[in-house]
Amino acid sequence: MPSVLFIRRRARTIARLLFVTLVAASAFAPMPAGAAGSDAGDAIPDELLVGFDSTVAPSQAEGIYRAEGATKLERLWRLNVHRIRVNAARLPAMEQRLRRQPGVMFVERNRRVPHAFTPNDPSFPSQWHLPAIDAPRAWDITTGSSAIVIAVLDSGVEASHPDLAGRLVPGWNFYDNTANTADVFGHGTRVAGAAAAAGHNGLGVAGVAMESHIMPIRVSDSAGYAYYSTLASGLVWAADNGARVMNMSFAGIAASSAIRSAAQYARGQGAVVVAAAGNCGCFDATPEAPEIISVSATSSGDTLASWSSRGNFVDVAAPGAGILTTSRGGHYVSVSGTSFASPITAGVVALMMAANSDLSPTQIEQLLKANTDDRGTAGWDPSFGFGRVNAYRAVAAAAGSVVETEARAVAPAKPSPPPADVTPPAVAITAWTSGSGSGTSSVSVAASDNVGVTRVELWVDGVRVATDTAAPWSLVWNSNTKTSGSYLLEARAYDAAGNVGVSARIAIATSQSPSLFRRR
C-alpha cells in the first residue's frame, strides 16, 4: 500500500500535469434553460408510467389501460411498472381514471430530466476535493477493489479514455436498447472519472475509488436528458448484473415513484443508490426518499455552493465546484454541479464496501452519515444533510478501525418530527348507483381526517375492488361480475401515517334499486 507521502507527491505531479491540460480543455456546457426551480423535468405529453400491485399479472395490467384507450410501450425492467402511450389531449382525465383502478399503486408522467451541472471553471489548478474529504488517508486503508462495481447511469462512458480504459465492465443502453454504451453527450465520462478514474498511473486525475470498475448504463438521449423510465430500468439491470453502487447525476428524480421502486429493488440486491440533489439554488420541496442517498454540493471554501439545491430529501453534501475529471477525447476538464458531488460520494461508498464487503446497504448509509464533517446548522439541516462526507472516517468506520475522536458514533437525527398521528380518518358511504346495463357501479364516499386523507378504497365482501387517491371520493367497480344476491360494501380511508378508518357496512342486492340498501 503506498504511503501518504508518496500519494501526496504523486498528487502534486498530477496537479502540474492537469494545469497544462486544462489550458486546452474545452469549456463545459452551461445548464440548459429551464433546469432551474425544482429540476422536476419536462413531462412527455403522451406518456404515463403506471405501477401495479404485485398481485396484478402483466396481462391484467395491459387490460386495464387498454380498456381506457392507451397502448403499451414497454414494461420496465423487472418491475410491475408499464410505460404507456395515451392521447395527449385526454392524458389528464386518463391519469385520474387509472389511479382509481383496482391494483394500480401509482400513476405518474414520464419525465425528461436534466443533467445536474452548472458552468465550469476550467482554470482550477488541482483536485482540491480529494484532500477536502480526506481521501489520501482513506487510501492508506484501501484504494478500492475491482470487485466493487460502480454503475454510472448517464449518457454513456468513453471506454478509450486513458484514465478509464480497461476499467469498464459490460453495461447496457436503455435509450436505444442496445449494448452500445459510448458517451453521446460527454456528461457520463466526466461523472465516471469523478467516481473512479484510475490512480497511481502517472496520468491525468485520480478518482475517489481508483480501483473500482465502472458499469456504463446509458439512460439519456444525445442532448444528455434521461427519463424516469430509462433510469428505473437501468437501476434494476445494474443490480441484477453485479453493480454494488449506482450513481444518477440527474436532477428531480427523488420524487419519481418508478425510480424509488427501482432503487428499493437495488437495495434489496445489496446495492447503494446515490443521486444528485439538483442545481436550482433553491429549497426543493421533494420529500425524503429513503431508498436514495441525495447529495448537495459544496465549494472549495467548504460552504454550500450557491447553485446547489436544498431540501428535506438531502442526506449528505460533497465537493461539487471546480472538480477536475475525465472528459471525452482523452481530455480533462474542471466541472461544477451536484452531478459531481454525487459520484464523489458514490466513490466513498465504494471504498467503504471495499474495506468491508459484509456491510449491508443500510449499514453503509448509516456509517457514511455518522462520519461526515458537520457543516451549517448543528446536526442535520436541509443544506448539508448530515454533513459533508469524510472519506477517511467513513472508510475507517467501515473497516472497524479506530477513528478520530470527533467522529460521531451514530448518525445525527433529523429534526424531531411532530407527535405521531394516531387518529384514523372518518369515512362513510354516501351513495351507490347500480351498474345494471352499464357494467359498472359507482360508490360515493365522504372521508375526512385531522391531517389529510391519502386514499380511499372500496371493498366488497372483504375484497378490495377499487381505489381513489383524490377527493371527491368516487369509486367504480364492475358489479356485473357478481351474480344476483346480497353483497356487503365497505369503504376504507387512509392517512399518510398509515391510520385506516372503516365505514359502516352496506348490504346491497344486485337486483334491487340503489335506494334500497341498508346499513349494518
Side-chain angles (χ1 to χ4, degrees):
M1 183 66 62
S3 67
V4 174
L5 181 59
F6 173 83
I7 292 172
R8 288 176 177 168
R9 286 176 176 170
R10 178 58 56 87
R12 287 195 292 270
T13 301
I14 292 173
R16 288 194 292 271
L17 289 171
L18 286 170
F19 182 79
V20 174
T21 303
L22 285 169
V23 172
S26 61
F28 194 49
M31 181 166 60
S38 66
D39 290 327
D42 301 321
I44 310 304
D46 60 351
E47 288 188 18
L48 290 173
L49 298 177
V50 186
F52 293 91
D53 185 272
S54 59
T55 61
V56 179
S59 59
Q60 293 176 302
E62 288 186 41
I64 290 173
Y65 54 76
R66 288 186 189 279
E68 297 289 345
T71 58
K72 177 182 177 181
L73 293 176
E74 64 174 325
R75 179 186 173 192
L76 301 194
W77 188 270
R78 297 286 296 273
L79 298 174
N80 205 7
V81 178
H82 292 232
R83 181 166 71 99
I84 66 173
R85 174 155 289 146
V86 304
N87 183 307
R90 298 176 55 217
L91 186 144
M94 185 176 296
E95 189 175 8
Q96 292 301 317
R97 287 199 302 273
L98 285 173
R99 284 191 177 126
R100 296 171 181 170
Q101 293 295 327
V104 172
M105 304 303 292
F106 63 83
V107 181
E108 66 181 359
R109 309 288 181 92
N110 195 16
R111 292 184 179 275
R112 183 175 183 254
V113 289
H115 36 80
F117 64 79
T118 56
N120 66 357
D121 180 4
S123 63
F124 204 81
S126 65
Q127 288 182 276
W128 68 270
H129 62 283
L130 294 176
I133 63 172
D134 217 356
R137 284 206 294 168
W139 292 334
D140 277 345
I141 300 172
T142 179
T143 54
S145 167
S146 60
I148 306 300
V149 176
I150 302 174
V152 175
L153 283 73
D154 218 288
S155 59
V157 177
E158 183 177 272
S160 62
H161 193 287
D163 255 337
L164 300 173
R167 310 295 297 282
L168 272 62
V169 302
W172 193 255
N173 179 338
F174 277 94
Y175 184 77
D176 291 325
N177 199 31
T178 70
N180 182 3
T181 56
D183 193 345
V184 294
F185 181 67
H187 193 254
T189 299
R190 292 161 175 172
V191 168
H200 310 306
N201 61 352
L203 296 173
V205 298
V208 176
M210 60 181 67
E211 298 294 335
S212 282
H213 282 186
I214 298 163
M215 179 184 288
I217 305 291
R218 184 182 155 195
V219 294
S220 83
D221 57 24
S222 59
Y225 285 79
Y227 298 79
Y228 284 179
S229 52
T230 55
L231 285 161
S233 295
L235 284 175
V236 176
W237 193 94
D240 284 347
N241 286 273
R244 293 291 307 280
V245 187
M246 286 81 162
N247 183 83
M248 299 183 291
S249 288
F250 294 89
I253 60 177
S256 166
S257 297
I259 292 175
R260 288 185 59 181
S261 296
Q264 185 61 49
Y265 176 88
R267 283 180 74 96
Q269 300 297 104
V272 172
V273 180
V274 185
N279 305 317
C280 72
C282 65
F283 184 92
D284 186 332
T286 297
E288 183 176 4
E291 307 87 353
I292 300 171
I293 298 176
S294 296
V295 187
S296 62
T298 59
S299 65
S300 57
D302 223 9
T303 58
L304 189 73
S306 61
W307 35 259
S308 178
S309 298
R310 311 179 303 280
N312 293 334
F313 68 108
V314 172
D315 294 297
V316 294
I323 305 301
L324 297 178
T325 186
T326 50
S327 183
R328 279 193 305 180
H331 298 301
Y332 300 90
V333 69
S334 176
V335 292
S336 297
T338 55
S339 272
F340 308 102
S342 180
I344 287 170
T345 302
V348 173
V349 169
L351 289 179
M352 295 171 71
M353 289 181 170
N356 188 344
S357 61
D358 293 330
L359 293 174
S360 69
T362 298
Q363 291 170 322
I364 289 286
E365 183 172 356
Q366 288 174 341
L367 289 173
L368 177 72
K369 294 175 179 178
N371 290 282
T372 58
D373 290 327
D374 198 5
R375 296 291 180 265
T377 304
W380 179 90
D381 64 74
S383 294
F384 298 91
F386 290 100
R388 194 254 304 127
V389 295
N390 183 302
Y392 165 64
R393 292 215 305 267
V395 172
S401 303
V402 177
V403 299
E404 294 178 337
T405 55
E406 68 265 28
R408 294 181 290 282
V410 295
K414 288 190 176 182
S416 298
D421 176 16
V422 296
T423 304
V427 57
I429 296 175
T430 58
W432 168 60
T433 302
S434 171
S436 177
S438 67
T440 60
S441 292
S442 298
V443 178
S444 297
V445 175
S448 60
D449 185 64
N450 61 321
V451 177
V453 177
T454 58
R455 75 180 189 275
V456 170
E457 297 175 348
L458 177 65
W459 292 65
V460 177
D461 285 351
V463 177
R464 186 182 64 182
V465 298
T467 302
D468 196 357
T469 57
W473 312 105
S474 179
L475 302 103
V476 177
W477 64 292
N478 185 359
S479 56
N480 279 357
T481 62
K482 300 290 187 181
T483 59
S484 296
S486 180
Y487 299 94
L488 293 177
L489 269 62
E490 176 184 287
R492 300 182 185 181
Y494 299 78
D495 62 19
N499 299 307
V500 57
V502 181
S503 74
R505 290 179 176 180
I506 292 175
I508 64 168
T510 57
S511 61
Q512 69 184 146
S513 167
S515 62
L516 297 180
F517 61 75
R518 65 182 184 277
R519 297 183 184 275
R520 222 183 242 199

